[in-house]
Amino acid sequence: MSSLSRELVFLILQFLEEEKFKESVHKLEKESGFFFNMKYFEEKVQAGEWEEVEKYLSGYTKVDDNRYSMKIFFEIRKQKYLEALDRQDKAKAVEILVTDLRVFSTFNEDLYKEITQLLTLGNFRENEQLSKYGDTKTARSIMLIELKKLIEANPLFRDKLVFPTLKSSRLRTLINQSLNWQHQLCKNPRPNPDIKTLFTDHTCAPPNGALGAAPVNLPVAAVAKPAAFTSLGTHGPFPTAAAAANAGALAGWMANAAASSTVQASVVTASSMPMPPNQVSILKRPITPPATLGMVDYQNLEQEQLMKRLRLAQNVDEVTYPATRQQASWSLDDLPRMVAFTIQQGSPVTSMDFNPSHHTLLLVGSGNGDITLWEVALRERLVTKPFKIWEPTACSLPFQASIVKDAPISVSRVAWSPDGNFIGAAFTKHLIHLYAYPGSNDLRQHLEIDAHVGCVNDIAFAHPNKQLCVVTCGEDKLIKVWDMNGRKLFNFEGHEAPVYSICPHHKENIQFIFSTAIDGKIKAWLYDNMGSRVDYDAPGQWCTTMLYSADGSRLFSCGTSKDGESFLVEWNESEGAIKRTYAGFRKKSAGVVQFDTTQNHFLAAGEDNQIKFWDMDHINVLASIDADGGLPSIPRLRFNKEGNLLAVTTADNGFKILATAAGLRSLRAIETPPFDVLRTPVESTALKVAGTSAAVATNISPNEPKVERSSPIKPSSILNGVDTMPRSAEKPRSLEDVSDRSKPWQLVEIVEPGQCRQVTMSDNSDSSSKVSRLLYTNSGVGILALGSNGVQKLWKWVRNEQNPSGKAVYVPKATSNVVPQHWQPNSGLLMTNDVSGVNLEDAVPCIALSKNDSYVMSACGGKVSLFNMMTFKVMTTFMPPPPASTFLAFHPQDNNIIAIGMEDSTIHIYNVRVDEVKSKLKGHQKRVTGLAFSTSLNILVSSGADAQLCVWSIDTWEKRKSISIQMPAGKAPVGDTRVQFYSDQIRLLAVHETQLATYDASKMERIRQWIPQDGLSAPISYAAYSCNGQLIYATFCDGNIGVFDADSLRLRCRIAPSAYISQAALNGSQPPYPVVVASHPQESNQIAIGMTDSSVKVIEPLESDGKWGVSPPADNGMLITRTASSSTTSNHTPDQIQR
């Protein structure tokens, strides 16, 4: 139903209410589903009219729509059941139990049994939980409070709880206005018209019996609000009518409106222009625009003249057509054509956007759902946010099911807000995520919205009414506008095909949105509910994107037809016609061509494995480059705001940064500290300029080692014992760290409890059981600990009840400032593994969590158990010993496939659904102690107690490679080895009690190695990457915790045991120490550690510090190579070891 039809329903509801048609009001509320009348609902609940209560609810939700709906119906039916018991009407109670409450038994069988047992009691208040149940009236009031909370939290009731603010008798007012218009059009209007019917248009009878003029039907868009109107009961003179300004500038396709425009632009509303009565010439007539764009636009003569005057009255610095554009001095050097470097993302890049104020900060969306923030000047991945549903339980049940079984979600679009303080990400299913960017190396979750049904195709920010909003479009043919709290402000309907892209913009004080659909239709919308203002056909009539020049004066679109023919055009806004079509595309493109604009002068598009540039004022290609090759057939591209950098996607899941000479200088200014004497060479690039071929060479010294920039891994820089790598390769994390480098670097040491924030979750029930495995939930608001006794415990940070919930979610925050709750279901169940017949001292506990936090599987020497995370019930068990399971990992693309490392050194690929081992992998000599999947490389890496790393193909499960980790001299190759992939899923961290080592998993070549030494000389108990991949947290058997730079493996912070363990415990006979460490999935500086005394601790830096130290400079410590005689390590290849 269109937005206007929806508003008409509200007008009818107001009319029925005013006319006291009470029953009809509530029937229409329910049948339309537009407004949930909470007052009426409360009345029926208080009256105990349960049949009417459920009947009314059924117009808005069903029992199984989501958990909120289920809870609402359960509370109502439970109250009805208790009231029957209270009346001693056992027969009615049984009927309610069987017909109404039985549906909930499938979700919570124990609760249903407990409710059934109430029948056996003489007074159900004998049940402890119901002992405080009062009289019926009080119970209903208490239940109503709970129901209101659930309804307000339920996303299905969003925008349905508030009736729009309307002036009284609004429908009568509109009818009066219509009659005024009809009377206005009479040829011989009478001063006191006698209006007797609304069924036909009104005309005044002509004098002397002459025939009256035929009624005139005005276009809907022509009717605007009159300044005043006369009621039906008044027979005085009609007031002067008003003609619509058609929302101002949209009369000529958003033509530039001067300050004198009659449009008032809060959130844009149409003002009116006075019009003399009886002037037939004011009627709008259809005008077909040039270029046959297939639109009928209604303009009146007076408005036509006004728009001409407005266009002549433009500011002198604005562009006017068709006058010759004043050209600034420019050259080919203003185009970013030189390849500065290539960066590996690790997954296909689907969208990019530069920060509007920090011009080297690039936001990247990936095919695997990751959102990554790059400081391209430093070639630094500042933070990566893997795709997760922040609040799975707030999503609809079908959506949750589709997440589990369907293909992985990808990013369809990323965008910065105009002020650079927020990031928006649209995904290929339903959701958008908004992050706050505080200016550090972090992104903070702000809002999750279930925005569209199907794919969300585009996201953008806008400022209607000077309020920051988010605009989205999707596969469901809708455009929606949201405020930054997740409230939907507008819902634009009118497209007949999925909406492909949106382009919010403003002209003077007029805010509007262009949208394009995959049927080639272009529409424009004001921030009102009056529908689309234009309806044009885009060239190619398929997927099209629209963009304005940087100064907002010129409008362009680029798209591709289904036949592969691409079009890049400039529009003449004042006429809604194509002004020029740019030449240079191939006849057939392999996909939808992407484009961008820069410097108010250039256009760029990716096609035919090239980047093509145009001058905006000339239709022929100005230049084309292949960027040293490696581009996909249709590369994506994005300019920074200054236009001196251009990001271009590559065919191997990365992107290149192209730069002008000025851009190269700005990159070097950031990447190289003042004291560095070495400079990074810039590779040359070949380009073709308007038919002329020229090679632009840069200063590459023949004596310098060539750095292969296309590799995601930094090459070793040790040649003949000398570190020859340019210092820029050891880069600071951000501009903040650049300033830190001007100060003498000092290792940060946390030795006192007051130097960090911490919270402890202790378990007094079994202090002899250590925490063997530890996980954060994927949502980041819970911690799951598996003890050596086989019992799993869950701690949760609970939601703030004042925060809204539903699909637009403020998620509870994991923080050391608040003690999380030890969470258990009402049944009191524990998640306990089968340990019958198991020697717990020899058992190897293992655990894995599904990506939607719904299930956890674990084992502790016995069978593998699959637990439901909501009920703690064991869903199934499998893989009974021998051999025992020692490591578990869910397949990243199919939760039904599990990789299980075994005590006998094999790896079983097990399908839970069919209860069958599909493959058995053999390659290790001792038990398997680690498994890590990489979807980027399509491999599984396993590690074992034999100090071996094996690489397996995910497709065939064949072994590709096997290597031994290089042990320090004198150390036997024994002990558990664990593996974890960096966020790019190419770099691999291997952890052994003797070392930390990073590998390029594409070649399984070691990059760096760190060996315990000096203040951190105890064996390593565990290590893990931070969520953004920039840090490595390592725990040691003496209680120390080390925070390392992930790239260089240099220590940046040491947390001493005295900082988080009491002095009494440290002085005991067996001081506790951390066995395992887990990093928070969103907060890169938060860790949780599991201790030998069964406690779990969450540790963060002080809020004033914000991070664990700073990156050490490149010359901190020696990078050396050792020969076989070294007492520390043996390297036959030029590896780097931090000493």
Side-chain angles (χ1 to χ4, degrees):
M1 183 177 287
S2 70
S3 57
L4 286 179
S5 299
R6 187 174 187 271
E7 292 185 359
L8 180 58
V9 171
F10 281 111
L11 295 178
I12 295 171
L13 284 172
Q14 183 196 41
F15 173 79
L16 293 174
E17 181 72 29
E18 291 172 343
E19 297 298 316
K20 308 300 182 185
F21 295 110
K22 296 294 186 182
E23 189 174 338
S24 299
V25 168
H26 303 310
K27 280 187 176 181
L28 181 55
E29 287 169 352
K30 180 179 76 71
E31 290 180 8
S32 68
F34 290 157
F35 174 63
F36 183 83
N37 192 326
M38 188 69 81
K39 183 178 178 182
Y40 174 73
F41 179 73
E42 290 178 13
E43 289 174 358
K44 294 302 174 183
V45 170
Q46 289 285 19
E49 298 179 26
W50 304 120
E51 185 176 347
E52 177 59 25
V53 167
E54 288 209 21
K55 187 176 179 182
Y56 189 69
L57 271 174
S58 67
Y60 307 88
T61 183
K62 299 186 293 295
V63 174
D64 58 352
D65 277 346
N66 58 38
R67 67 188 181 103
Y68 300 103
S69 300
M70 189 177 298
K71 179 71 170 170
I72 291 168
F73 280 96
F74 175 74
E75 290 296 328
I76 291 169
R77 294 176 184 182
K78 182 185 73 174
Q79 180 63 29
K80 182 166 61 167
Y81 176 66
L82 293 177
E83 290 183 15
L85 289 176
D86 208 23
R87 297 191 306 267
Q88 298 298 316
D89 189 348
K90 292 291 180 76
K92 184 64 176 178
V94 170
E95 179 188 339
I96 295 169
L97 185 68
V98 174
T99 58
D100 294 340
L101 289 170
R102 191 174 189 82
V103 65
F104 303 106
S105 64
T106 57
F107 302 100
N108 194 328
E109 187 176 353
D110 290 340
L111 179 61
Y112 183 72
K113 288 178 180 178
E114 188 174 352
I115 292 175
T116 304
Q117 289 173 358
L118 297 179
L119 287 167
T120 64
L121 303 177
N123 186 340
F124 64 80
R125 293 172 181 81
E126 296 173 20
N127 182 290
E128 184 179 351
Q129 296 183 40
L130 297 172
S131 59
K132 295 182 180 180
Y133 184 95
D135 58 84
T136 298
K137 184 177 180 181
T138 304
R140 289 174 182 174
S141 298
I142 293 172
M143 180 188 65
L144 257 177
I145 296 172
E146 179 68 15
L147 290 180
K148 288 175 71 174
K149 288 181 181 179
L150 290 168
I151 290 169
E152 289 167 359
N154 194 327
L156 295 177
F157 288 84
R158 188 176 300 128
D159 301 331
K160 297 180 180 180
L161 299 177
V162 179
F163 198 88
T165 303
L166 302 174
K167 291 183 179 180
S168 60
S169 304
R170 179 61 182 161
L171 186 59
R172 290 179 177 275
T173 299
L174 293 176
I175 293 171
N176 288 340
Q177 290 175 341
S178 173
L179 294 173
N180 284 344
W181 276 105
Q182 293 174 33
H183 185 65
Q184 187 85 21
L185 300 178
C186 292
K187 279 193 172 181
N188 301 291
R190 293 182 179 180
N192 295 302
D194 184 16
I195 299 173
K196 295 181 178 180
T197 181
L198 299 178
F199 292 162
T200 58
D201 286 347
H202 161 73
T203 55
C204 292
N208 300 323
L211 290 176
V216 179
N217 290 321
L218 282 175
V220 174
V223 181
K225 300 176 183 177
F229 61 91
T230 306
S231 67
L232 284 170
T234 304
H235 296 285
F238 278 79
T240 302
N246 198 20
L250 275 169
W253 231 52
M254 316 296 180
N256 293 331
S260 61
S261 168
T262 58
V263 177
Q264 307 299 316
S266 293
V267 171
V268 183
T269 57
S271 65
S272 59
M273 295 188 299
M275 178 171 55
N278 309 325
Q279 185 173 330
V280 179
S281 62
I282 65 168
L283 295 179
K284 294 189 174 184
R285 68 183 194 281
I287 298 178
T288 304
T292 61
L293 291 176
M295 165 199 168
V296 176
D297 184 20
Y298 294 94
Q299 286 185 290
N300 62 54
L301 297 180
E302 192 170 325
Q303 187 173 346
E304 202 170 273
Q305 296 301 318
L306 170 66
M307 298 315 300
K308 288 181 180 178
R309 292 199 304 273
L310 292 179
R311 289 196 286 275
L312 292 174
Q314 291 175 3
N315 297 329
V316 293
D317 58 344
E318 290 185 329
V319 179
T320 59
Y321 299 113
T324 304
R325 182 177 175 85
Q326 183 66 34
Q327 291 193 359
S329 175
W330 64 273
S331 70
L332 290 176
D333 292 336
D334 294 323
L335 294 174
R337 303 168 300 165
M338 294 178 283
V339 178
F341 41 77
T342 300
I343 294 176
Q344 193 71 19
Q345 175 68 21
S347 180
V349 176
T350 56
S351 180
M352 301 179 291
D353 197 22
F354 277 100
N355 186 286
S357 54
H358 183 173
H359 300 156
T360 58
L361 199 61
L362 180 65
L363 179 64
V364 176
S366 305
N368 63 357
D370 286 359
I371 299 162
T372 305
L373 196 59
W374 289 91
E375 173 51 79
V376 297
L378 306 173
R379 272 148 283 177
E380 272 305 328
R381 189 190 300 255
L382 300 180
V383 59
T384 293
K385 295 293 185 183
F387 173 77
K388 292 182 177 70
I389 303 174
W390 298 350
E391 188 73 5
T393 54
C395 300
S396 63
L397 297 178
F399 177 46
Q400 292 183 53
S402 70
I403 295 299
V404 175
K405 66 182 181 181
D406 291 351
I409 287 183
S410 300
V411 177
S412 53
R413 182 82 161 85
V414 292
W416 286 96
S417 64
D419 57 9
N421 291 332
F422 289 95
I423 282 171
F427 296 95
T428 51
K429 275 192 185 175
H430 291 252
L431 296 184
I432 66 168
H433 283 171
L434 299 182
Y435 290 91
Y437 176 61
S440 58
N441 303 344
D442 199 9
L443 295 175
R444 297 175 184 169
Q445 291 181 359
H446 179 71
L447 197 64
E448 178 179 73
I449 303 176
D450 193 339
H452 293 270
V453 177
C455 179
V456 184
N457 289 327
D458 203 358
I459 185 171
F461 290 88
H463 271 101
N465 200 23
K466 299 180 181 179
Q467 173 191 4
L468 183 63
C469 296
V470 180
V471 186
T472 62
C473 67
E475 197 175 356
D476 54 6
K477 308 176 187 178
L478 301 176
I479 301 105
K480 300 182 182 182
V481 183
W482 315 82
D483 69 13
M484 296 305 287
N485 293 319
R487 185 169 63 96
K488 186 167 65 177
L489 302 178
F490 297 98
N491 190 77
F492 298 132
E493 302 177 13
H495 277 292
E496 297 178 356
V499 185
Y500 179 72
S501 72
I502 46 178
C503 178
H505 195 60
H506 65 91
K507 286 284 185 180
E508 293 292 338
N509 54 358
I510 305 170
Q511 300 271 352
F512 55 90
I513 303 167
F514 277 120
S515 62
T516 68
I518 64 171
D519 59 0
K521 291 295 183 184
I522 298 174
K523 294 181 182 290
W525 318 79
L526 295 174
Y527 292 88
D528 57 20
N529 294 307
M530 300 297 292
S532 170
R533 295 309 205 277
V534 299
D535 186 0
Y536 284 18
D537 290 323
Q541 297 189 354
W542 199 41
C543 298
T544 297
T545 304
M546 305 186 80
L547 288 176
Y548 275 89
S549 57
D551 61 6
S553 64
R554 303 176 70 173
L555 176 63
F556 302 88
S557 72
C558 182
T560 304
S561 70
K562 291 182 179 179
D563 297 329
E565 188 174 0
S566 296
F567 301 87
L568 176 60
V569 304
E570 180 178 6
W571 292 90
N572 186 332
E573 289 184 275
S574 63
E575 298 178 359
I578 295 173
K579 179 174 182 177
R580 61 170 57 88
T581 300
Y582 297 90
F585 289 111
R586 293 177 59 193
K587 292 295 184 183
K588 296 288 183 181
S589 296
V592 180
V593 170
Q594 308 293 315
F595 87 118
D596 201 5
T597 73
T598 185
Q599 302 178 43
N600 298 314
H601 197 89
F602 298 111
L603 300 167
E607 190 231 20
D608 195 17
N609 308 97
Q610 295 179 326
I611 304 300
K612 298 179 179 180
F613 299 94
W614 287 265
D615 179 342
M616 288 181 177
D617 297 321
H618 299 90
I619 65 170
N620 293 320
V621 174
L622 176 66
S624 62
I625 62 172
D626 62 4
D628 290 351
L631 303 186
S633 59
I634 305 290
R636 300 177 184 275
L637 49 85
R638 182 67 64 189
F639 287 102
N640 70 348
K641 189 172 182 180
E642 291 183 334
N644 57 14
L645 298 180
L646 176 64
V648 182
T649 58
T650 62
D652 60 350
N653 299 343
F655 57 91
K656 296 187 179 190
I657 298 297
L658 280 61
T660 63
L664 289 174
R665 287 193 296 272
S666 68
L667 291 175
R668 288 175 178 171
I670 296 175
E671 75 174 359
T672 310
F675 53 81
D676 271 342
V677 295
L678 296 175
R679 293 291 185 267
T680 303
V682 181
E683 299 172 0
S684 64
T685 182
L687 63 144
K688 304 165 193 167
V689 183
T692 305
S693 178
V696 179
T698 54
N699 56 335
I700 299 180
S701 167
N703 296 321
E704 289 180 311
K706 183 181 187 317
V707 180
E708 184 184 344
R709 300 187 182 281
S710 61
S711 171
I713 308 302
K714 299 183 183 69
S716 170
S717 63
I718 308 298
L719 296 176
N720 301 321
V722 180
D723 183 0
T724 61
M725 179 173 281
R727 292 301 179 205
S728 60
E730 298 297 336
K731 300 170 288 298
R733 285 287 172 272
S734 65
L735 295 178
E736 179 185 358
D737 282 351
V738 171
S739 61
D740 288 337
R741 290 206 172 184
S742 61
K743 309 168 187 175
W745 183 85
Q746 186 175 4
L747 175 69
V748 173
E749 302 210 68
I750 309 294
V751 296
E752 300 290 339
Q755 292 179 286
C756 63
R757 293 179 291 155
Q758 55 185 288
V759 65
T760 300
M761 295 87 83
S762 59
D763 181 10
N764 299 324
S765 61
D766 187 3
S767 58
S768 64
S769 172
K770 65 183 180 182
V771 178
S772 298
R773 296 292 178 265
L774 193 66
L775 297 172
Y776 274 96
T777 58
N778 293 298
S779 63
V781 296
I783 291 178
L784 192 61
L786 173 59
S788 57
N789 60 356
V791 178
Q792 292 170 134
K793 302 206 170 177
L794 176 64
W795 284 270
K796 279 186 178 182
W797 284 268
V798 295
R799 178 186 306 281
N800 181 347
E801 290 299 334
Q802 294 179 351
N803 287 340
S805 57
K807 293 176 185 170
V809 178
Y810 285 98
V811 285
K813 181 178 174 63
T815 173
S816 55
N817 298 330
V818 177
V819 180
Q821 292 183 2
H822 181 204
W823 194 88
Q824 280 183 275
N826 294 332
S827 63
L829 279 177
L830 291 175
M831 284 191 283
T832 305
N833 281 283
D834 173 27
V835 293
S836 55
V838 175
N839 183 351
L840 292 178
E841 292 184 1
D842 297 333
V844 181
C846 49
I847 187 172
L849 183 64
S850 65
K851 61 187 177 183
N852 60 1
D853 290 339
S854 296
Y855 304 99
V856 61
M857 62 176 176
S858 59
C860 191
K863 291 183 288 188
V864 178
S865 299
L866 184 67
F867 295 91
N868 183 307
M869 283 284 284
M870 292 296 293
T871 64
F872 285 11
K873 287 185 178 180
V874 176
M875 310 299 291
T876 185
T877 59
F878 49 91
M879 303 301 290
S885 304
T886 55
F887 203 92
L888 302 168
F890 279 101
H891 192 291
Q893 296 169 328
D894 188 347
N895 272 345
N896 293 305
I897 304 297
I898 303 168
I900 308 175
M902 309 298 289
E903 180 71 32
D904 67 353
S905 77
T906 62
I907 301 168
H908 291 190
I909 307 303
Y910 177 77
N911 190 315
V912 178
R913 180 173 292 172
V914 298
D915 189 21
E916 182 181 343
V917 175
K918 292 295 187 181
S919 298
K920 187 180 291 187
L921 315 183
K922 298 180 179 180
H924 288 281
Q925 304 304 314
K926 296 183 179 180
R927 71 170 178 263
V928 177
T929 57
L931 295 168
F933 282 95
S934 169
T935 52
S936 296
L937 299 175
N938 214 32
I939 59 173
L940 168 67
V941 177
S942 61
S943 59
D946 55 1
Q948 293 278 325
L949 303 179
C950 296
V951 182
W952 313 85
S953 166
I954 291 179
D955 294 329
T956 62
W957 301 115
E958 294 178 353
K959 187 166 73 171
R960 291 185 180 178
K961 195 169 186 177
S962 177
I963 65 169
S964 298
I965 64 172
Q966 294 184 0
M967 303 298 293
K971 299 288 186 179
V974 294
D976 291 356
T977 307
R978 296 183 179 87
V979 285
Q980 181 188 358
F981 270 104
Y982 178 72
S983 53
D984 65 2
Q985 296 202 323
I986 294 175
R987 268 180 283 187
L988 180 77
L989 172 65
V991 183
H992 187 267
E993 64 179 22
T994 64
Q995 63 188 276
L996 303 174
T998 54
Y999 291 80
D1000 176 355
S1002 64
K1003 308 168 187 174
M1004 284 311 291
E1005 293 178 356
R1006 197 179 70 186
I1007 308 163
R1008 293 179 186 270
Q1009 182 187 52
W1010 182 90
I1011 295 172
Q1013 59 197 273
D1014 303 329
L1016 295 176
S1017 56
I1020 300 168
S1021 60
Y1022 211 92
Y1025 274 119
S1026 63
C1027 63
N1028 61 5
Q1030 304 307 314
L1031 304 174
I1032 293 173
Y1033 297 103
T1035 54
F1036 295 81
C1037 293
D1038 61 358
N1040 277 294
I1041 302 172
V1043 183
F1044 295 82
D1045 183 283
D1047 280 343
S1048 64
L1049 288 188
R1050 290 188 172 89
L1051 183 66
R1052 61 188 283 165
C1053 179
R1054 180 180 75 91
I1055 305 172
S1058 57
Y1060 65 94
I1061 301 175
S1062 69
Q1063 198 60 47
L1066 289 174
N1067 293 334
S1069 58
Q1070 290 184 325
Y1073 67 87
V1075 180
V1076 61
V1077 61
S1079 56
H1080 191 280
Q1082 287 97 35
E1083 301 291 337
S1084 59
N1085 288 291
Q1086 184 184 125
I1087 58 171
I1089 54 174
M1091 305 291 291
T1092 54
D1093 63 358
S1094 78
S1095 65
V1096 175
K1097 297 176 183 288
V1098 175
I1099 305 176
E1100 293 180 285
L1102 295 176
E1103 290 183 348
S1104 57
D1105 296 335
K1107 59 182 179 178
W1108 299 111
V1110 297
S1111 297
D1115 57 350
N1116 170 46
M1118 290 169 44
L1119 293 177
I1120 64 172
T1121 53
R1122 297 286 183 131
T1123 64
S1125 62
S1126 168
S1127 62
T1128 306
T1129 188
S1130 173
N1131 287 328
H1132 300 288
T1133 58
D1135 264 310
Q1136 299 171 335
I1137 304 170
Q1138 169 64 29
R1139 298 298 299 163

